[in-house]
Amino acid sequence: MPLASIPSPSQGVWYLGVIPIRAYALCIVLGVVVAVIIGERRWRARGGAPGTIVDLAVWAVPFGLVGGRLYHVITDWQLYFGPDAPHTPIEALYIWNGGLGIWGAVALGALGVWFGCRNRGISLSAVADTVAPGIAVAQAIGRWGNYFNQELFGSPTDLPWGLEIDPDKPGTVPGAFTYHPTFLYESIWDLGLALVLIWAGSRFALRHGRVFALYVAGYTAGRFWIEGLRIDSAHHILGLRLNQWTSIVLFVAALVYFWYARNKTGEESVGAAPESAPGAEETADPAHPSGQDDEADARGGDADAEDGKVEAVSAFAATGGNRVDPAHSSDQADEAETKAAGDGHGTSVEGGTA
């Protein structure tokens, strides 16, 4: 026995009356919710309309679940349809018992998102880059469902973080008590990958699906070595498990696309309506373009000036041509003129009366 180990849960199903509450399903649902929240925040930061990622999730989630289950059943068909299959064919539909192939989920989920993007008129590559970190986090959370089901563990190990697995579980080795916790390895890898994607996307302004390509390359790199630790039943080709070959192909394809899209500079539609300029509180008359507004204002200014001229001429004529000082009242002006006239004849007006 190792000196330390990670215990497995005693159960992965709880009952609310007659309704089963399965930890595997809860982990999947929680992962989806967190991915949508992260995607929504990133989409709004990019200028997209709020609620877009939520709407796209309505397309992606059912497509992804079907795709993930199809990939698992096709690649592990012997578990359900082989001569010594441990499961009955009908159990191929029991998704709550575990068994979702990530690549089937991503492929069909992307198809669902494509339908949603077409309906909204937004760019699929922009959405893919936005949701990539959230997908990685969702995988990190979803892997804990394998922990509750005591499945997809690695080979026996005496390391202090070895995972305890019940001896009656499929894939266990006689005499072994602890195994590599591959679910934990992948969960940690996915969380680290999500942080790298967020950093790289912001630091290098990656667009046109390059963040998503980086996600595929990063995930497959980790999945390749983690897959090599697993001892559950799988198809082998040239000494490698089928999922390892899938990781190699997708890793190369992701790098090729990452390089191919390096010079793409076209605009990616995020479907957001343009906002009005900051500080512009007044709205334009839809029947009166701004150019006409300016022209009308200019005409109005000229008209006001002409009116002012007419008023000035009228006032000049009314006063007999004399300009009135606005600071000098009319009575004062008359008095001054009288004095000036009296001085001109040598006689004072005040001394002429008794």
Side-chain angles (χ1 to χ4, degrees), residues 304-320:
D304 291 342
E306 291 297 330
D307 292 342
K309 291 179 180 179
V310 172
E311 292 176 0
V313 171
S314 300
F316 182 80
T319 58

Side-chain angles (χ1 to χ4, degrees), residues 16-266:
L16 186 61
V18 296
I19 302 175
I21 307 298
R22 302 180 184 276
Y24 183 87
L26 290 177
C27 290
I28 298 296
V29 171
L30 179 60
V32 170
V33 171
V34 172
V36 170
I37 292 174
I38 294 174
E40 270 291 318
R41 291 176 62 89
R42 287 172 52 82
W43 185 253
R44 290 198 301 269
R46 187 164 179 166
T52 299
I53 303 303
V54 175
D55 292 343
L56 294 178
V58 174
W59 290 87
V61 172
F63 274 77
L65 289 175
V66 173
R69 191 60 175 179
L70 282 175
Y71 183 89
H72 167 72
V73 173
I74 291 173
T75 56
D76 290 319
W77 61 269
Q78 75 282 355
L79 299 178
Y80 305 94
F81 306 102
D84 300 321
H87 306 295
T88 61
I90 191 61
E91 289 183 90
L93 303 177
Y94 295 174
I95 191 173
W96 51 85
N97 287 336
L100 288 175
I102 180 59
W103 300 122
V106 170
L108 245 63
L111 179 62
V113 170
W114 179 74
F115 284 127
C117 289
R118 280 178 59 87
N119 289 341
R120 281 180 164 265
I122 58 180
S123 172
L124 177 62
S125 60
V127 172
D129 286 339
T130 300
V131 302
I135 293 176
V137 174
Q139 290 177 252
I141 297 173
R143 276 302 176 195
W144 284 81
N146 302 137
Y147 169 63
F148 282 95
N149 283 355
Q150 296 194 43
E151 61 184 358
L152 306 185
F153 44 85
S155 57
T157 181
D158 291 331
L159 292 172
W161 55 84
L163 178 64
E164 298 177 9
I165 299 294
D166 296 339
D168 59 340
K169 292 293 182 180
T172 54
V173 177
F177 297 97
T178 56
Y179 301 80
H180 279 287
T182 51
F183 86 92
L184 182 60
Y185 297 162
E186 187 169 331
S187 183
I188 295 173
W189 181 272
D190 291 339
L191 289 175
L193 176 60
L195 295 176
V196 170
L197 294 176
I198 294 173
W199 170 81
S202 176
R203 174 66 176 80
F204 302 105
L206 301 178
R207 292 291 187 269
H208 296 281
R210 299 185 80 201
V211 175
F212 191 82
L214 192 62
Y215 152 72
V216 173
Y219 177 76
T220 52
R223 180 63 182 269
F224 180 84
W225 70 268
I226 294 173
E227 187 74 19
L229 295 174
R230 286 167 47 171
I231 58 174
D232 55 298
S233 177
H235 294 289
H236 287 74
I237 302 174
L238 300 178
L240 294 177
R241 294 163 64 95
L242 177 60
N243 280 329
Q244 287 182 296
W245 283 109
T246 303
S247 295
I248 292 173
V249 172
L250 291 176
F251 178 82
V252 173
L255 291 184
V256 169
Y257 180 85
F258 188 86
W259 176 259
Y260 165 77
R262 71 191 186 283
N263 293 325
K264 285 190 174 184
T265 57

